[in-house]
């Protein structure tokens, strides 16, 4: 009798512990911060466009509702579904990207129209699909520059959607793919020296037009390879890639880049080169943020925003709206929320012992970090204007829904992803 009571009592305790663990596993903080950022975004979009002929904030609210519904459905799917569906979703996501390249090349349009006036951006679907596919591929295949064959499959998986998105052209989203792939590659085994060598051709592209900076880059590259004891073949390979990247950048500048892309780069270096043209947005953004001072001018009281001095205030420059109307304090609050948001995503790597889940988490953190850093830096003139939206705050249905879908996947995997 005593043994039966002990067994029954132990069962009750175990059940209670499982219930408590399940309650702790559901990340209410991540969900709450996401909901708060979406709400702030709706307020800012309304504030920036309340006198516009189109109700942008209503459209954003509808997109948020669709995203919330998708999140609920995602949460109740079995975690192994994402592992099993990773490759099929990846190949499915390539289809609309190819469709745009073939049928909409002349219009340079990045959206596909559906019945009912609905439009969606295929690059956002590709972002989610690539995240899952890369996580599955790297889950049981550690990467190493010492084993070049280990890099072939991940590189092919990455380069196909990257080039398709780049061709649209959508440079900013394509670059977010790069950031995601790099942080996942680091988690999958590449060291910091390896990451530097792999990214060195990209750095060479950025420094090509400054001979002194390019020479300094080559000296640093040689020093890293020497101190890291890279093999002779590997050293020759990366020297060749860097030289090719430099000359390729010159060719791309003259033959491939569009005029608006070249002007963005030039006005980033000096906005006063074209203060009424390509440099106008950055200058007005700085004025808007600076005029907000510490506490801002108040909701609906932004002169740069509401008098239409600041273009694209509800999309690319939504952070400028925050700075003007809610000041430095409001910007700090938003950045603090983003910090909590990113830390909760990375916390998944501590709480869940699954390589697949960890790779999804660090890849998602890379995507969001890139969007946040580049967008905020862009509005204050520290980076070129790229058209990259701010997660949950900028207007954009496809982007908002894809962000919420990623959060739904993360919450699902954190709660029940131990077995994946």
């Amino acid at each position: 009798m005593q043994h039966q009571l002990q067994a029954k009592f132990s069962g009750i305790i175990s059940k209670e512990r499982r219930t408590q663990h399940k309650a702790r596993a559901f990340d209410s903080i991540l969900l709450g911060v996401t909901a708060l950022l979406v709400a702030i975004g709706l307020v800012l979009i309304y504030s920036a466009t309340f006198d516009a002929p189109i109700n942008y904030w209503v459209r954003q609210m509808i997109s948020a509702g669709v995203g919330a519904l998708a999140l609920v459905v995602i949460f109740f799917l079995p975690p192994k579904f994402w592992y099993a569906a990773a490759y099929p979703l990846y190949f499915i996501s390539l289809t609309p990207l190819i469709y745009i390249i073939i049928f909409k090349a002349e219009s340079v349009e990045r959206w596909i129209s559906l019945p009912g006036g609905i439009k969606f951006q295929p690059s956002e679907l590709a972002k989610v699909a690539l995240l899952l596919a890369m996580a599955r591929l790297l889950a049981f295949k550690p990467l190493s520059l010492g084993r070049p064959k280990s890099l072939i499959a991940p590189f092919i998986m990455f380069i196909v959607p990257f080039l398709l998105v780049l061709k649209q052209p959508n440079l900013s989203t394509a670059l977010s793919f790069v950031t995601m792939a790099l942080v996942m590659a680091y988690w999958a085994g590449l060291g910091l020296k390896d990451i530097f060598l792999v990214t060195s051709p990209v750095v060479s592209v950025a420094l090509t037009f400054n001979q002194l900076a390019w020479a300094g880059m080559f000296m640093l590259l040689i020093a890293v390879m020497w101190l890291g004891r890279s093999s002779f073949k590997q050293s020759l390979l990366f020297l060749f890639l860097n030289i090719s990247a430099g000359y390729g950048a010159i060719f791309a500048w003259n033959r491939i880049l569009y005029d608006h892309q070249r002007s963005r780069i030039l006005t980033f270096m000096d906005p006063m080169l074209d203060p009424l043209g390509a440099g106008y947005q950055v200058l007005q953004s700085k004025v808007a943020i600076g005029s907000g001072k510490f506490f801002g001018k108040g909701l609906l009281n932004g002169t740069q925003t509401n008098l239409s001095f600041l273009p694209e205030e509800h999309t690319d420059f939504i952070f400028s709206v925050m700075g003007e109307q809610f000041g430095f304090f409001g910007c700090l609050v938003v950045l603090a929320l983003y910090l909590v948001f990113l830390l909760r995503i990375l916390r998944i790597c501590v709480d869940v012992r699954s390589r697949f889940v960890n790779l999804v988490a660090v890849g998602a953190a890379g995507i969001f970090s890139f969007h946040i850093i580049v967008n905020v830096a862009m509005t204050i003139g520290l980076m070129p204007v790229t058209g990259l939206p701010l997660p949950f705050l900028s207007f954009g249905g496809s982007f908002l829904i894809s962000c919420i879908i990623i959060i739904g996947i993360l919450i699902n995997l954190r709660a029940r992803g131990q077995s994946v």
Side-chain angles (χ1 to χ4, degrees):
M1 183 68 177
Q2 183 178 0
H3 293 296
Q4 291 177 345
L5 288 173
Q6 287 177 348
K8 186 176 181 180
F9 182 72
S10 298
I12 293 172
I13 294 297
S14 299
K15 184 177 179 181
E16 188 172 322
R17 285 178 178 172
R18 288 196 300 270
T19 304
Q20 290 175 351
H21 175 73
K22 184 176 180 180
R24 287 196 301 269
F26 179 81
D27 200 337
S28 57
I29 296 177
L30 178 59
L31 182 62
V33 172
T34 301
L36 185 56
L37 286 170
V38 172
I40 292 173
L42 288 171
V43 172
L44 293 177
I45 292 170
Y46 173 76
S47 177
T49 62
F50 70 93
D51 55 350
I54 301 175
N55 290 325
Y56 290 103
W57 69 277
V58 174
R59 293 186 178 184
Q60 187 78 344
M61 185 178 292
I62 294 172
S63 298
V66 173
L69 181 61
L71 187 148
V72 172
V73 174
I74 287 169
F75 179 76
F76 288 103
L77 289 173
K80 290 185 178 181
F81 168 82
W82 302 110
Y83 183 86
Y87 291 161
L89 285 175
Y90 172 80
F91 289 108
I92 291 172
S93 71
L94 298 180
T95 305
L97 294 178
I98 295 172
Y99 172 84
I100 285 184
I101 299 301
I102 295 176
F103 296 102
K104 298 201 173 186
E106 298 298 326
S107 64
V108 196
E109 193 171 317
R110 306 170 185 173
W111 296 270
I112 291 180
S113 300
L114 299 176
I118 300 173
K119 292 184 178 181
F120 86 98
Q121 200 167 348
S123 59
E124 295 302 326
L125 172 62
K127 187 188 300 179
V128 179
L130 180 61
L131 172 65
L132 294 171
M134 287 283 288
R136 175 170 175 175
L137 181 64
L138 299 176
F140 301 104
K141 293 183 179 180
L143 301 181
S144 173
L145 283 184
R147 293 182 293 105
K149 289 183 179 180
S150 68
L151 305 176
I152 296 175
F155 178 76
I156 294 174
M157 176 173 284
F158 157 77
I159 202 66
V160 173
F162 172 80
L163 292 177
L164 289 174
V165 172
L166 191 63
K167 179 64 178 176
Q168 290 185 1
N170 192 348
L171 176 62
S172 56
T173 301
L175 290 177
S176 71
F177 287 11
V178 175
T179 306
M180 174 185 66
L182 286 177
V183 296
M184 295 177 78
Y186 175 75
W187 193 266
L190 289 186
L192 292 178
K193 185 204 84 170
D194 300 333
I195 296 294
F196 172 78
L197 292 177
V198 170
T199 57
S200 60
V202 179
V203 179
S204 291
V205 169
L207 302 179
T208 295
F209 301 97
N210 186 318
Q211 293 183 353
L212 183 61
W214 198 19
M217 169 62 194
F218 265 86
M219 292 176 63
L220 178 61
L221 177 64
I222 293 170
V224 169
M225 290 189 296
W226 176 267
L227 295 174
R229 298 183 179 181
S230 298
S231 66
F232 180 71
K233 289 183 178 180
Q234 189 180 93
S235 300
L236 284 181
L237 172 64
F238 283 105
L239 286 173
F240 171 76
L241 290 176
N242 277 267
I243 294 172
S244 300
Y247 284 104
I250 296 173
F251 175 81
W253 179 269
N254 294 320
R255 300 293 182 88
I256 297 177
L257 288 182
Y258 291 88
D259 290 338
H260 74 277
Q261 291 173 329
R262 286 196 292 266
S263 64
R264 282 179 176 180
I265 296 173
L266 291 174
T267 53
F268 160 64
M269 308 303 272
D270 184 7
M272 294 307 296
L273 286 174
D274 189 8
L276 298 179
Y280 181 78
Q281 287 178 306
V282 175
L283 292 174
Q284 293 300 321
S285 176
K286 289 181 177 180
V287 171
I289 294 174
S291 65
K293 298 183 180 180
F294 194 82
F295 288 110
K297 298 177 181 178
L299 187 66
L300 306 181
N301 291 326
T303 52
Q304 298 299 118
T305 301
N306 300 134
L307 296 180
S308 300
F309 286 106
L310 179 63
E312 307 299 332
E313 67 272 13
H314 61 300
T315 53
D316 301 346
F317 289 89
I318 197 70
F319 191 76
S320 306
V321 178
M322 169 61 74
E324 183 179 29
Q325 301 193 12
F326 297 95
F328 181 71
F329 178 76
C331 292
L332 279 183
V333 170
V334 168
L335 293 177
L337 287 173
Y338 277 129
L339 178 60
V340 174
F341 172 80
L342 293 173
L343 289 176
R344 292 306 300 180
I345 292 177
L346 293 176
R347 177 73 188 181
I348 296 173
C349 298
V350 178
D351 294 338
V352 182
R353 296 182 179 179
S354 166
R355 191 169 176 82
F356 172 75
V357 175
N358 291 175
L359 284 163
V360 173
V362 296
I367 293 171
F368 288 119
S369 298
F370 181 78
H371 275 266
I372 295 165
I373 293 171
V374 172
N375 182 276
V376 172
M378 175 186 74
T379 60
I380 58 178
L382 295 180
M383 293 192 73
V385 177
T386 59
L388 204 69
L390 193 59
F392 308 111
L393 268 65
S394 293
F395 173 79
S398 297
F399 178 63
L400 177 61
I401 292 171
S402 69
C403 287
I404 295 176
I405 286 174
I406 292 175
I407 297 304
I409 294 172
L410 291 173
I411 292 175
N412 175 290
L413 293 177
R414 185 186 187 277
R416 295 170 293 174
Q418 295 284 2
S419 60
V420 181

